[in-house]
Amino acid sequence: MIYDKKSLKADEFINHEEIIDTLEYADKHKNDTVLLDEILAKAKPHWKDGKLDCKGLNHREASVLLATELPEYHEKIINLAKEIKQAFYGNRIVLFAPLYLSNYCVNGCLYCPYHVVNKTIPRKKLTQEEIRNEVIALQDMGHKRLAIEAGEDPKNNPIEYILESIDTIYNVHHKNGAIRRVNVNIAATSVEEYKMLKDAEIGTYILFQETYHKEGYKALHPYGPKSDYDYHTEAMDRAMDGGIDDVGLGVLFGLDKYRYEFAGLLMHAEHLEAVHGVGPHTISFPRVKPADDIDPDKFNNGIADEIFERIIACARIAVPYTGMIISTRESENVRRSALEMGISQISGGSRTSVGGYTEDVRPHDTEQFDVSDQRTLDEVVRWLMECGYIPSFCTACYRAGRTGDRFMSLCKSGQIQNCCHPNALLTLREYLDDYASKETYDIGMKMIMDELGNIPNLSVREKTKGFLESIDGGSRDFRF
Ligand code: SAM
């Protein structure tokens, strides 16, 4: 098998021999300070003619950074990741919540409590009425962006059910609430079904690879449709062929060796860029968590927080333009450092059980995994602001048609900030007026006043002030 990033065959674009070579190369050069300096210099962001120039790194270069054992280079890597994060994203953090529709599943994933032989977990699938109630609860928290989640089960969760659910979600408008972007995390499917998802106006199609190690993958997925490694790995190509511009990658860290996964993840990103002209819209960074019938220690590849943070920093350097996501699987402390290293989107107030948002007390019976960060959305919003970040509920890009390569070319040149920063302030203001506690409101209003002065373009600044006044007067949904 020969490595070819343009190939459409999983074994060729995620090529095992290339990953092994990459890891050997990284081991050989991990403490080579001349090469390390060259790699860091290549990745440094520059402003040229008012545009941001930041090349990123390929999987070999980034793997050398991840392998280095030199503490002074650990520090340089983290500082560069912070610099890139600031250059592309400023201090904005986008918020979302997962919505679990159904935990029926026919797969045998050994790490997931939804696996079909788990007889202890109660199975549940939301009706459209129950979805409406969940969405009302999420809107009442302040959410505008959801990621829907479902197990794979052609009988219980066919594509028609997913499409009907998306339609239901977009049509709930409770008080001033609205879900303006529905991202979808469902099993790998056909081009025809991806076209249907595109027509249903989804945001990002998210599918975690779980592991790029083919043999490991087969052992972890002993049966069910997901056991087909090639079909799973080639899913993003089918999604893009079906017209979905924005796709989200991820591996479940803890299942296999992290350096192997990291190289595979970057090769996948390079493949999408080479074939479709646009890399992944997002990369998620989940780690295996305890769950019903699941003990993460069984997988032997758990990683310490320090390594996890370094993976995030090296990814931020390698793919500077890609949104990076961390969920409530992680604790407040890990999320705080992950945000510094390069994460740009986080979930907040999440419940991972089917129907969990309408229960007064967090239910555990149908949960997909233990949630470490159990704070409310209001607490997360306040905490972000106390850490110096602007919580953003913005969904403007995709609604204005800034998806795929249109988004990427704006983002790669740094121009996206001309809309993102004011949009973050506008959606934060909506949140403060409609959902925030008094304490969060006060901190947020001060932040908006301070941040208005940071909008460099005077006409955008004036327009933002006008929109903020209109929000004060009760109008909603302004955007650049
Ligand atoms: N059924 C779809 C699929 O197979 O891709 C949807 C995915 S599932 C609802 C979302 C993700 O949760 C999975 O892709 C997996 O990475 C993650 N997950 C499963 N079990 C987990 C566990 N014990 N801890 C943390 N994450 C887990």
Side-chain angles (χ1 to χ4, degrees):
M1 221 50 86
I2 293 173
Y3 173 50
D4 176 5
K5 66 178 171 186
K6 286 197 167 162
S7 166
L8 295 176
K9 290 196 183 125
D11 282 335
E12 292 179 354
F13 67 81
I14 305 293
N15 180 255
H16 176 69
E17 288 73 28
E18 172 61 18
I19 299 183
I20 297 300
D21 265 10
T22 299
L23 299 185
E24 278 171 16
Y25 173 81
D27 273 332
K28 198 164 150 206
H29 294 285
K30 62 187 174 191
N31 298 329
D32 172 348
T33 55
V34 175
L35 181 65
L36 287 164
D37 285 336
E38 264 174 40
I39 295 173
L40 290 173
K42 178 185 169 192
K44 208 170 161 54
H46 300 282
W47 284 95
K48 223 166 57 187
D49 305 328
K51 286 190 167 181
L52 194 55
D53 182 25
C54 191
K55 294 190 173 42
L57 296 175
N58 64 33
H59 60 278
R60 284 202 169 224
E61 296 160 335
S63 292
V64 175
L65 291 190
L66 185 60
T68 191
E69 294 159 338
L70 303 173
E72 70 269 33
Y73 280 85
H74 291 164
E75 211 179 307
K76 286 184 187 187
I77 288 166
I78 283 168
N79 288 340
L80 180 57
K82 288 181 184 172
E83 187 184 339
I84 292 174
K85 160 97 190 283
Q86 183 60 32
F88 278 94
Y89 292 93
N91 55 348
R92 301 177 308 279
I93 299 295
V94 167
L95 284 152
F96 75 98
L99 171 58
Y100 282 77
L101 299 180
S102 166
N103 65 359
Y104 282 94
C105 195
V106 295
N107 285 312
C109 317
L110 298 188
Y111 48 84
C112 180
Y114 294 174
H115 66 79
V116 67
V117 289
N118 184 357
K119 301 294 177 212
T120 57
I121 195 165
R123 300 289 166 170
K124 194 168 169 188
K125 169 187 167 182
L126 298 180
T127 63
Q128 298 305 310
E129 193 49 38
E130 286 169 329
I131 293 174
R132 243 182 300 280
N133 292 333
E134 288 279 290
V135 172
I136 288 172
L138 283 155
Q139 288 183 0
D140 281 350
M141 287 159 70
H143 278 295
K144 298 281 185 278
R145 175 189 294 242
L146 301 183
I148 56 171
E149 314 272 342
E152 179 166 14
D153 185 331
K155 277 210 189 97
N156 285 298
N157 320 327
I159 192 71
E160 291 73 20
Y161 170 69
I162 303 293
L163 296 171
E164 192 186 359
S165 304
I166 295 169
D167 189 56
T168 299
I169 294 166
Y170 276 136
N171 282 301
V172 177
H173 297 284
H174 185 245
K175 299 181 183 163
N176 280 337
I179 299 302
R180 300 174 181 156
R181 178 172 181 136
V182 178
N183 297 335
V184 173
N185 185 0
I186 59 165
T189 184
S190 61
V191 176
E192 285 64 40
E193 295 199 351
Y194 285 125
K195 277 188 187 143
M196 294 178 189
L197 289 171
K198 163 80 181 170
D199 292 344
E201 301 188 357
I202 67 162
T204 312
Y205 171 65
I206 301 165
L207 180 69
F208 297 162
Q209 177 63 30
E210 319 301 4
T211 173
Y212 283 97
H213 191 281
K214 188 169 186 171
E215 292 312 310
Y217 183 98
K218 285 184 184 161
L220 287 161
H221 304 94
Y223 42 79
K226 194 165 169 179
S227 62
D228 185 338
Y229 172 88
D230 292 351
Y231 189 75
H232 188 79
T233 309
E234 293 159 9
M236 293 314 193
D237 296 292
R238 292 194 302 280
M240 286 185 147
D241 287 345
I244 296 177
D245 289 331
D246 293 340
V247 298
L249 304 179
V251 293
L252 188 51
F253 284 99
L255 296 182
D256 216 303
K257 304 273 182 290
Y258 72 92
R259 288 177 53 206
Y260 191 102
E261 304 292 22
F262 181 74
L265 193 54
L266 292 185
M267 284 163 75
H268 203 169
E270 288 162 24
H271 161 74
L272 295 177
E273 177 102 40
V275 174
H276 305 279
V278 48
H281 189 69
T282 56
I283 297 181
S284 299
F285 292 83
R287 283 195 284 188
V288 189
K289 296 280 301 176
D292 187 293
D293 200 35
I294 304 297
D295 173 7
D297 292 339
K298 245 179 51 188
F299 303 104
N300 286 329
N301 287 306
I303 44 174
D305 292 349
E306 195 197 335
I307 303 227
F308 187 54
E309 286 157 13
R310 221 177 299 141
I311 292 171
I312 291 172
C314 289
R316 174 43 72 224
I317 296 172
V319 284
Y321 50 86
T322 301
M324 290 182 18
I325 302 179
I326 202 154
S327 75
T328 54
R329 288 176 182 87
E330 300 298 336
S331 65
E332 174 181 335
N333 277 341
V334 171
R335 297 207 319 157
R336 183 183 286 113
S337 11
L339 284 169
E340 282 181 46
M341 305 298 151
I343 292 294
S344 55
Q345 292 188 25
I346 63 170
S347 44
S350 306
R351 294 200 170 174
T352 65
S353 43
V354 183
Y357 293 108
T358 38
E359 304 277 342
D360 289 339
V361 178
R362 176 183 293 277
H364 294 287
D365 55 348
T366 60
E367 252 181 357
Q368 198 195 14
F369 51 81
D370 282 0
V371 168
S372 291
D373 185 346
Q374 302 202 356
R375 291 173 295 170
T376 63
L377 182 63
D378 187 73
E379 286 166 335
V380 172
V381 167
R382 188 161 66 242
W383 167 75
L384 282 173
M385 295 191 292
E386 283 163 356
C387 298
Y389 298 108
I390 311 172
S392 174
F393 293 89
C394 179
T395 54
C397 273
Y398 125 95
R399 293 164 77 219
R402 294 191 293 261
T403 58
D405 52 359
R406 288 197 61 212
F407 171 82
M408 283 301 169
S409 61
L410 280 167
C411 186
K412 282 179 182 171
S413 65
Q415 295 308 304
I416 204 82
Q417 290 192 53
N418 290 331
C419 1
C420 295
H421 182 251
N423 283 340
L425 300 182
L426 295 172
T427 54
L428 173 60
R429 179 63 205 261
E430 286 187 350
Y431 174 82
L432 297 177
D433 274 10
D434 291 339
Y435 309 106
S437 63
K438 169 86 177 71
E439 203 185 341
T440 304
Y441 180 89
D442 291 344
I443 298 173
M445 290 301 276
K446 181 174 178 322
M447 173 168 249
I448 291 173
M449 290 316 291
D450 294 347
E451 287 288 339
L452 267 176
N454 293 335
I455 301 177
N457 182 312
L458 285 185
S459 90
V460 174
R461 194 188 297 176
E462 286 313 306
K463 219 167 157 187
T464 307
K465 281 184 189 161
F467 286 161
L468 287 169
E469 276 165 26
S470 302
I471 293 173
D472 198 28
S475 302
R476 294 288 176 271
D477 203 9
F478 297 97
R479 62 183 142 101
F480 287 91

